Amino acid sequence: MLTVVVDSRDRAIVDLEADDFVVRESGQPRDILSARVADYPVVVLIDNGPQAGAELDVIKRAAVRFITRIGQRPVALGTLGDTPAIVASFEDERAVVLERLTGVRTASGSRTDLVRGMAAAAQAVRALDVPFSAIVVIAAGVGTPVEGAPTAWLQDILASHSIVSGIVNRAHEPMTSIEQFRALAEQTHGQFAAIYSTLSYDIALDHLADQMAGEMMIDYIVPEGAPPKEDVTVGIRLPGLRVKGLGVR
């Protein structure tokens, strides 16, 4: 289970142990094995399409800052321009990921292919066979509309169970394209920010990094023969704190 615990001021609390939580499935208590700060893998996708133009350097600097703030977890890097590709894998050291990020150049293709890039990221995530993961898109625009993307790509994204979050500069996009991407992010329980200025890339990514830093993962035992996961709830034993479940795998 992925969850977040906050105090009365809505500040995330992560200094917690397994015994602090209560998990129930269909009203039945479950034994909790562990509780830890979330460390699921993240794929960062940056827009290096022609429409990014002078924003590419800003996007790269914001991506470097974001990656250095999300802790010790597997991070892969992909590009969205021309033919999207994963340019640094989960097996690469963090220093290699950052080096390849700073070396990304503007692609020669006609536009950003956001959904194709996310589909490539989803395939990389599925190969890990992990319960949770995230795809973070940093783009100057949506490019190819989500609605017009091949169904197979969208299915790959949803089947990966990745939390899709995006920061998109709406100055370059019609509202329809923006809303289509927002709907996809919300469907995966991700965050979406439509920004108006290049200065906002850092602000939006800092907000996302802070949110991820406050997430916790709880491992609990499901008895043999138990019905499929349904009506799963999580509680916190400590007074003054509130807990919210963000998903179960």
Side-chain angles (χ1 to χ4, degrees), residues 119 123 126 149-158:
Q123 291 176 2
R126 293 182 71 180
T151 301
W153 293 353
L154 296 171
Q155 289 175 338
D156 282 343
I157 296 167
L158 296 176

Side-chain angles (χ1 to χ4, degrees), residues 7-222:
D7 62 13
S8 59
R9 297 183 180 179
D10 281 334
R11 295 175 300 189
I13 305 297
V14 296
D15 186 18
L16 299 166
E17 300 178 353
D19 289 343
D20 296 324
F21 292 93
V22 177
V23 173
R24 295 179 181 274
E25 284 189 327
S26 300
Q28 299 301 310
R30 298 303 186 210
D31 293 329
I32 299 176
L33 294 175
S34 66
R36 65 189 187 279
V37 175
D39 56 358
Y40 53 77
V42 177
V43 185
V44 177
L45 299 176
I46 65 170
D47 183 1
N48 66 326
Q51 68 181 5
E55 290 185 29
L56 178 57
D57 286 340
V58 178
I59 289 172
K60 291 195 296 183
R61 288 195 297 270
V64 167
R65 176 181 171 88
F66 174 73
I67 291 172
T68 58
R69 293 195 63 213
I70 59 175
Q72 296 302 311
R73 64 173 78 209
V75 175
L77 173 70
T79 56
L80 296 170
D82 194 12
T83 302
I86 300 298
V87 297
S89 72
F90 290 117
E91 287 73 29
D92 289 319
E93 297 290 337
R94 183 67 60 88
V96 173
V97 176
L98 294 175
E99 179 182 3
R100 293 183 183 172
L101 171 54
T102 57
V104 171
R105 298 292 180 263
T106 302
S108 58
S110 59
R111 66 186 310 180
T112 297
D113 203 339
L114 187 145
V115 180
R116 185 174 182 178
M118 289 193 292
Q123 291 176 2
V125 165
R126 293 182 71 180
L128 295 180
D129 191 25
V130 292
F132 293 100
S133 60
I135 298 173
V136 177
V137 176
I138 313 169
V142 174
T144 303
V146 172
E147 191 175 68
T151 301
W153 293 353
L154 296 171
Q155 289 175 338
D156 282 343
I157 296 167
L158 296 176
S160 73
H161 300 300
S162 293
I163 303 166
V164 177
S165 294
I167 292 87
V168 177
N169 191 338
R170 64 174 300 170
H172 305 290
E173 290 292 336
M175 182 58 69
T176 301
S177 296
I178 292 289
E179 291 305 317
Q180 288 175 6
F181 186 21
R182 184 194 302 275
L184 177 61
E186 291 177 349
Q187 187 175 354
T188 66
H189 305 290
Q191 301 297 312
F192 180 83
I195 63 175
Y196 297 86
S197 165
T198 56
L199 297 176
S200 297
Y201 283 116
D202 274 337
I203 297 172
L205 286 168
D206 281 353
H207 178 75
L208 180 59
D210 288 343
Q211 176 180 300
M212 293 172 64
E215 295 172 347
M216 297 194 68
M217 294 182 69
I218 301 172
D219 294 321
Y220 65 93
I221 298 174
V222 179

